[in-house]
Amino acid sequence: VKADPDRLAAACDQASERTAAMYLALADAQARRGNTREAAATLEKVARAFPASRQAETAEVRLASLKRGDANAVQTGFEKK
């Protein structure tokens, strides 16, 4: 992978998507525990660190809902089954 720039770029993109998704899951866990300030900070981190991603868009929507006091603002879909 290291010798092939195209494969390396693809690997980096996948890692970024996974990292952003994990931060969304973290925000979900924080909100579920009533830590809305931490959840908001985590969502802001996603929006800043991954600005052109769909995870950033999701984070911004959830952050706006969280600021409005919406109880269902943070739900990532990573709940255990």
Side-chain angles (χ1 to χ4, degrees):
V1 171
K2 289 181 182 179
D4 184 346
D6 293 332
R7 289 182 67 198
L8 186 56
C12 288
D13 289 343
Q14 287 177 347
S16 292
E17 286 181 20
R18 286 182 174 172
T19 301
M22 291 180 73
Y23 274 121
L24 289 175
L26 174 60
D28 182 35
Q30 291 166 327
R32 286 178 185 268
R33 289 197 171 173
N35 300 325
T36 53
R37 285 185 189 192
E38 288 92 353
T42 301
L43 291 169
E44 288 171 353
K45 182 183 280 190
V46 172
R48 278 192 319 271
F50 310 97
S53 70
R54 82 186 135 84
Q55 288 89 352
E57 183 178 323
T58 298
E60 290 170 358
V61 168
R62 291 184 179 153
L63 183 59
S65 294
L66 191 65
K67 288 181 177 180
R68 285 192 311 266
D70 185 355
N72 296 315
V74 182
Q75 292 184 355
T76 62
F78 283 98
E79 294 82 18
K80 283 191 170 183
K81 293 183 180 184

